[in-house]
Amino acid sequence: REYYLPPYELNMAIEYGILSQIFTGKREDALADARLAVYVQDSFAGLYGADATSEPEGMTEQARGLIEEQNSALESMIAASRNSWENPLLWWLTGVLFEADGDLEAAWQSYRKASAVKPECAVFAKDAARAEGSATPRSGRSKLIVMYEQDFVPVRESLKIPVPIYTGFSFDIPKYSTTTLVERVSVSGCKHGCEAGVAVDVCSLAARDLKEKLPGIIVRNLTRAAVQAGAQASANAAGNNYVKLAVFAGNMVVSAIRRADTRSWVTLPAMQHIWCDSDMSPGEYSLCVGADGSSIPVKVSLSPGETRIVWIAKTGTVWHGVSACIGGAGAPLLDLRGKEIKR
């Protein structure tokens, strides 16, 4: 099958590209990827925003009923996102890079968009407020970011749907079986230690993408079922065994096509949490990042005017993390204990 990359997957690829450039000291490349991210997300808004409510051709009452039933099952998952083509963390991350580069106008626009997509995130709201001039960082202060990645996006499964008007026919559609629980992530060890906020719910983006595809999936499969039933009836009426055999072979192919596409990312995080303090005193810090009963110590050293990002992912009981400065190609790459990592 031909595979079309959903917008949320492309946005995640760009986000990880930016992080990769940051953690390998390629600041200019990270800025180039940030500008690409702005262009891509603006393009998605123009491409998908106007067609979000369009209805595919061939929609029947039966199809509408099936779509409504499946959409209700996805409601709890999609509630955490506004659409499937905007990643608020990606918007905010471009703002961080633009601000560190001195391009404040571009940074303010990115911060505003991040807050508009996910207004309940305190980090985004604070930077959007700075963009409006209500909170200006003081000269010589430092900025520290902690990004925590939670679990993985659940695997898509196959749900068999019977077609009542065509006896004996059914088709599969993809579905998500579980709703991911939100971890409580906190950062302590500095003046503004507090709970981190969910920056992007990737599970919600994946569920929204599936919801947007469901009308087309269901209409196509109902149409195939009707064609399959008609062909079988015509072959039976003809009474020719060769015709029946040919139709049977064709129906086997159609049945294979109607199987659900259950491919999904098993390396993307279910959620990304963010904590940020844009007004920290330069110096040495021993932080503690906790998530639902477990924690890990993190040592960071902040220089005046520095923007430093600490990225942490927890897979099972194992913590992975790295720290880097968004301030120049020569900035050291550190592990969570504050020791330099050789590139």
Side-chain angles (χ1 to χ4, degrees):
R1 296 178 189 172
E2 190 172 0
Y3 183 71
Y4 298 95
L5 193 69
Y8 83 94
E9 293 184 9
L10 181 56
N11 280 340
M12 292 299 296
I14 296 174
E15 179 191 319
Y16 282 123
I18 292 174
L19 291 173
S20 175
Q21 305 292 8
I22 291 172
F23 292 130
T24 53
K26 300 175 182 177
R27 180 172 174 272
E28 293 303 317
D29 291 341
L31 281 165
D33 281 349
R35 296 185 186 98
L36 173 65
V38 169
Y39 170 77
V40 167
Q41 294 209 93
D42 280 340
S43 298
F44 281 157
L47 180 64
Y48 295 104
D51 299 330
T53 58
S54 61
E55 185 176 281
E57 294 181 5
M59 183 70 73
T60 63
E61 287 304 315
Q62 182 191 14
R64 289 191 183 92
L66 290 170
I67 292 166
E68 184 177 345
E69 179 183 343
Q70 297 310 310
N71 283 347
S72 63
L74 291 171
E75 283 303 316
S76 62
M77 294 187 74
I78 67 174
S81 61
R82 187 169 72 169
N83 56 55
S84 68
W85 58 84
E86 282 184 297
N87 182 326
L89 180 58
L90 182 57
W91 274 126
W92 182 79
L93 188 58
T94 63
V96 170
L97 281 160
F98 294 148
E99 185 176 8
D101 192 49
D103 188 351
L104 297 183
E105 183 56 37
W108 299 155
Q109 291 179 15
S110 291
Y111 288 151
R112 290 188 190 105
K113 288 184 177 181
S115 185
V117 176
K118 199 167 184 64
E120 65 272 23
C121 180
V123 172
F124 298 163
K126 182 180 289 187
D127 279 328
R130 290 199 299 117
E132 301 303 329
S134 58
T136 304
R138 287 177 286 173
S139 176
R141 307 291 282 183
S142 303
K143 183 170 188 171
L144 178 62
I145 300 163
V146 177
M147 183 187 299
Y148 173 87
E149 300 199 344
Q150 172 191 337
D151 302 328
F152 295 115
V153 172
V155 176
R156 286 202 307 203
E157 298 178 353
S158 177
L159 176 65
K160 189 169 289 296
I161 300 293
V163 185
I165 59 175
Y166 308 118
T167 305
F169 291 93
S170 65
F171 63 88
D172 293 355
I173 65 168
K175 74 180 186 74
Y176 290 104
S177 59
T178 59
T179 302
T180 303
L181 297 176
V182 182
E183 289 187 2
R184 293 179 62 89
V185 181
S186 61
V187 178
S188 59
C190 60
K191 183 177 66 174
H192 297 135
C194 60
E195 189 171 328
V198 176
V200 59
D201 187 329
V202 185
C203 287
S204 183
L205 295 179
R208 275 196 177 273
D209 177 73
L210 176 57
K211 178 182 177 180
E212 290 158 10
K213 287 182 170 62
L214 272 178
I217 292 172
I218 290 175
V219 168
R220 285 193 299 272
N221 280 287
L222 284 175
T223 303
R224 288 169 182 153
V227 171
Q228 188 176 359
Q232 190 66 60
S234 298
N236 292 339
N240 187 316
N241 288 334
Y242 289 104
V243 173
K244 291 180 181 180
L245 183 61
V247 171
F248 177 74
N251 286 347
M252 288 179 64
V253 174
V254 174
S255 296
I257 292 173
R258 288 205 305 267
R259 291 176 183 168
D261 184 356
T262 56
R263 289 171 297 187
S264 62
W265 284 99
V266 291
T267 54
L268 290 182
M271 295 179 189
Q272 291 179 312
H273 301 250
I274 198 77
W275 177 94
C276 177
D277 189 340
S278 300
D279 189 32
M280 292 186 68
S281 301
E284 304 287 332
Y285 291 88
S286 295
L287 307 178
C288 181
V289 179
D292 280 359
S294 59
S295 62
I296 185 171
V298 179
K299 291 186 178 296
V300 293
S301 177
L302 299 178
S303 301
E306 178 182 71
T307 297
R308 178 165 289 275
I309 181 169
V310 177
W311 175 87
I312 297 173
K314 184 183 175 188
T315 54
T317 58
V318 181
W319 295 73
H320 306 275
V322 67
S323 164
C325 172
I326 308 175
L333 184 66
L334 307 176
D335 63 18
L336 297 181
R337 293 171 293 180
K339 295 184 178 179
E340 184 171 352
I341 299 173
K342 293 186 178 179
R343 304 187 190 280

